[in-house]
Amino acid sequence: MNKSGGLNLFPKLTEIPENAGLFEPIRGRLLVGGELIQRGFETRPVTSPILLRSEKDTLEDVLLGETPQATSDHVMQALAAATQAWKSGTGEWPSARMERRLEAIALFTQRMQAHRETIVRLLMWEIGKTRGDAESEFDRTIVYINDTLEAAKGLDRDSSRLQFAQGYVALVRRMPLGVTLCMGPFNYPLNETFTTLIPALVMGNTTLVKVPRYGQLLWDCLLPEFQSCFPAGVVNVINGSGREIIGAAMRSGDIDVLAFIGSSQVANTLKSQHPRPNRLRSILGLDAKNPAIILPDAPVDLSIDECIKGALSFNGQRCTALKLLCVHDSIAEHWTQKLAERVAAMKIGMPWEPGVKITPLPDTAKPGELRKMVEDAVADGAILHNSELALRGQATLIRPAVVSQVKWSHSLAQVEQFGPVIPVIRFNHVDEVVEQLVASQYGMQVSLFGRDARQLGPLVDALSNQVARININASCQRGPDVFPFTGRKNSAEGTLSVSDALRAFSLRTMVATSSTAIEGRDAFRGILEHDTSNFLTNHVIL
Ligand code: G3H
């Protein structure tokens, strides 16, 4: 394929450094009911967003491997396996003591660490993530698991204490909900899938993981570890076209928990397919269009630094990315000019290059979609800065763009662009921005840049019922993962954090008796003293 156009943005095979070297093509598998399945399904070739320049200066696709295209039948088999492992809540995993489950997850985590380099490299090749960001995605996931294990121990220890009220004694524990479908996004194919999978498992749910549309092959090395660390059917991993295969699972009514990070449109479709919506718990991370508001007294350099980091980390492909910058008229000219200069100077290139900020995009349709949004805005008076460079490049690798004089009616101001374009809107009075945010369908986070407490304070109050996190002189982000991550409106359902996730994937359940009536008290005490129950026990994880 000739996509070169005379530019040299992509490397030749010989220019790839050793620490980014390609693997033999990987043949992806499924994990269903404790069995690794290698055949019996169609496959789809997985090519990298990174292209290779041939000796003749043409650009060639790089084949990374092939990935299963599971059918609805495979999904129903995986669902049956998860349902069997759940066994109406009586299965080995859901009824085991917390300690036993934590041991299994700790063992898995230990084994997972051996695959760090493979996963980091595949994050670079499959989704174009820089080496630094890929390493941080892996390491952050390990920290998240370990923090979750500690939080679960604390929860279990607290739950082992009896509670007394109004003549009753009770023991309250959090119990699992059932079969959980986990679907993470392509921008954090490992981390964000694990932020729902791990708490679901810790609490005793059985799981069906559908891997994201990009970032699939990196899952393969983990399948044997899941297989050996968990009882059959507790973790099932499938892969295929979600649109075609997940509907049947939802329609069966056998999914008890939907843990999904993606678009609100897909989430609504999935939820509406469930025949008994009252029996479906949903934990959703959805659309966002986080704005930054840059007030007249904003620290200029810091606000520009944070806005660039917020808008363009991983090429703007983060749900928490800053997707709209609202700048006060009095500083807009100078501020935007400086922003545009800084953006134009950003290093674009391959994920392994030191200092690289902008890398190839896995969604090949994205450059075209972004150009169209920008063209529409420019045709209506917006300004594309550094137009000789912005959005230009080769194939999947394009330079970032700053577009100013954007209007609220433009799709750049309304649609989640999820790519390297920074729309800038001017405002005269901050109430104009607040009004737009009140009317918006999104409600995840906002960043405020300014110094005057008399202006910032009321603004915090005005926005605290519109979004779930207000960042002051800092860009939007999910972490630290012990903080609550959620949103209003179309941006989320439920709250995730190390401890909130344990709650989200469980239901408080109690055993109670009269603390004054002898029969109840003695029976209660008898169970505790003879340690005959996994639920009603003082057993403490040490
Ligand atoms: O894509 C959405 C992620 O949750 C963002 O996480 O803010 O840590 O990049 P992050």
Side-chain angles (χ1 to χ4, degrees):
M1 169 190 355
N2 189 339
K3 305 176 196 164
S4 163
L7 288 167
N8 285 344
L9 296 176
F10 289 102
K12 288 185 176 161
L13 188 58
T14 50
E15 290 167 353
I16 298 170
E18 208 177 310
N19 72 353
L22 276 162
F23 302 104
E24 284 298 304
I26 295 166
R27 190 159 197 275
R29 296 166 289 181
L30 305 173
L31 178 63
V32 176
E35 299 290 328
L36 282 170
I37 304 185
Q38 332 219 11
R39 53 183 68 85
F41 46 74
E42 303 270 308
T43 61
R44 183 177 62 73
V46 178
T47 53
S48 174
I50 301 168
L51 306 172
L52 286 187
R53 199 151 45 87
S54 71
E55 291 306 324
K56 292 184 189 139
D57 213 24
T58 56
L59 289 180
E60 310 290 338
D61 281 327
V62 178
L63 181 71
L64 301 175
E66 50 189 44
T67 187
Q69 287 297 90
T71 60
S72 304
D73 286 348
H74 293 110
V75 178
M76 294 313 282
Q77 281 166 26
L79 179 57
T83 307
Q84 203 180 334
W86 171 247
K87 215 172 160 193
S88 304
T90 66
E92 176 190 346
W93 188 255
S95 51
R97 284 189 176 166
M98 175 74 87
E99 193 166 20
R100 146 91 185 89
R101 293 199 294 260
L102 300 189
E103 278 165 10
I105 296 168
L107 178 64
F108 169 81
T109 314
Q110 192 190 327
R111 293 191 181 168
M112 175 177 168
Q113 309 224 34
H115 301 286
R116 182 179 188 269
E117 180 58 23
T118 307
I119 291 176
V120 165
R121 239 182 253 195
L122 282 166
L123 283 167
M124 291 197 281
W125 281 98
E126 283 196 85
I127 61 168
K129 197 164 262 199
T130 63
R131 175 169 267 277
D133 284 350
E135 288 175 347
S136 136
E137 174 163 356
F138 186 91
D139 296 342
R140 175 181 178 181
T141 305
I142 299 291
V143 170
Y144 186 92
I145 301 175
N146 288 332
D147 287 353
T148 301
L149 298 183
E150 281 310 305
K153 283 181 200 165
L155 182 68
D156 196 67
R157 286 172 190 142
D158 290 347
S159 310
S160 304
R161 252 199 358 248
L162 300 182
Q163 300 184 24
F164 295 85
Q166 297 177 16
Y168 286 89
V169 53
L171 189 125
V172 184
R173 277 189 196 285
R174 290 200 162 264
M175 298 305 280
L177 299 167
V179 175
T180 301
L181 172 61
C182 295
M183 295 169 71
F186 82 78
N187 58 338
Y188 283 89
L190 180 80
N191 179 265
E192 290 220 305
T193 313
F194 269 67
T195 60
T196 59
L197 173 64
I198 294 298
L201 289 171
V202 164
M203 297 315 293
N205 302 281
T206 63
T207 60
L208 178 56
V209 178
K210 149 77 179 71
V211 301
R213 76 188 145 120
Y214 310 113
Q216 306 188 328
L217 297 177
L218 58 90
W219 277 83
D220 196 67
C221 62
L222 297 177
L223 300 191
E225 312 301 6
F226 283 124
Q227 184 190 35
S228 62
C229 294
F230 295 94
V234 170
V235 181
N236 301 277
V237 181
I238 49 144
N239 191 3
S241 161
R243 205 180 294 259
E244 287 158 33
I245 60 177
I246 296 299
M250 291 306 293
R251 280 191 294 275
S252 73
D254 290 339
I255 303 282
D256 301 299
V257 187
L258 171 64
F260 172 77
I261 301 182
S263 76
S264 60
Q265 202 191 354
V266 172
N268 289 341
T269 305
L270 293 175
K271 283 176 72 161
S272 69
Q273 289 167 332
H274 199 286
R276 294 179 288 279
N278 61 307
R279 286 172 59 168
L280 179 71
R281 163 110 30 126
S282 299
I283 298 136
L284 311 173
L286 305 172
D287 323 329
K289 182 91 181 163
N290 295 342
I293 302 178
I294 296 103
L295 297 164
D297 61 346
V300 174
D301 288 328
L302 175 128
S303 58
I304 290 176
D305 281 351
E306 286 293 309
C307 283
I308 291 178
K309 183 170 75 159
L312 294 178
S313 296
F314 192 33
N315 312 311
Q317 301 167 118
R318 291 162 57 235
C319 59
T320 48
L322 285 174
K323 296 186 179 119
L324 183 64
L325 308 185
C326 308
V327 190
H328 191 264
D329 266 337
S330 61
I331 57 163
E333 195 78 31
H334 170 68
W335 194 93
T336 312
Q337 194 51 41
K338 232 176 151 178
L339 170 82
E341 281 164 19
R342 292 274 314 277
V343 168
M346 287 175 81
K347 179 167 176 180
I348 80 167
M350 297 302 110
W352 52 80
E353 291 175 28
V356 73
K357 298 289 181 204
I358 301 292
T359 53
L361 305 172
D363 180 355
T364 51
K366 190 51 82 175
E369 287 168 16
L370 295 175
R371 287 188 184 109
K372 171 85 175 71
M373 287 169 93
V374 171
E375 273 164 25
D376 289 352
V378 168
D380 190 35
I383 296 167
L384 174 62
H385 292 253
N386 298 310
S387 56
E388 67 295 348
L389 288 176
L391 296 180
R392 293 177 193 262
Q394 279 181 295
T396 54
L397 183 55
I398 55 168
R399 290 179 203 280
V402 173
V403 187
S404 64
Q405 306 281 8
V406 169
K407 297 178 187 155
W408 287 104
S409 56
H410 294 161
S411 56
L412 272 185
Q414 301 295 335
V415 176
E416 182 174 16
Q417 67 271 37
F418 220 75
V421 173
I422 310 183
V424 181
I425 274 194
R426 284 178 174 215
F427 67 88
N428 183 252
H429 195 285
V430 77
D431 287 353
E432 298 161 35
V433 181
V434 173
E435 221 170 273
Q436 292 291 336
L437 302 189
V438 170
S440 164
Q441 289 312 302
Y442 308 100
M444 186 187 276
Q445 298 188 20
V446 63
S447 288
L448 305 180
F449 292 93
R451 289 190 172 104
D452 182 358
R454 283 164 306 181
Q455 179 149 37
L456 285 170
L459 200 46
V460 166
D461 294 351
L463 295 173
S464 56
N465 285 343
Q466 305 306 320
V467 295
R469 174 166 166 166
I470 298 164
N471 303 278
I472 297 181
N473 289 330
S475 60
C476 297
Q477 62 175 30
R478 174 176 177 150
D481 289 324
V482 290
F483 286 166
F485 178 54
T486 183
R488 291 172 180 268
K489 304 180 190 171
N490 282 359
S491 288
E493 189 173 329
T495 301
L496 289 173
S497 76
V498 166
S499 54
D500 287 313
L502 296 176
R503 295 195 193 109
F505 289 98
S506 61
L507 179 83
R508 287 208 298 173
T509 307
M510 59 189 271
V511 180
T513 189
S514 160
S515 57
T516 49
I518 196 92
E519 287 294 347
R521 220 175 54 190
D522 283 357
F524 202 96
R525 195 200 310 263
I527 298 170
L528 287 172
E529 281 179 1
H530 294 99
D531 202 18
T532 52
S533 164
N534 280 345
F535 185 104
L536 182 51
T537 173
N538 294 133
H539 172 89
V540 171
I541 304 179
L542 295 174

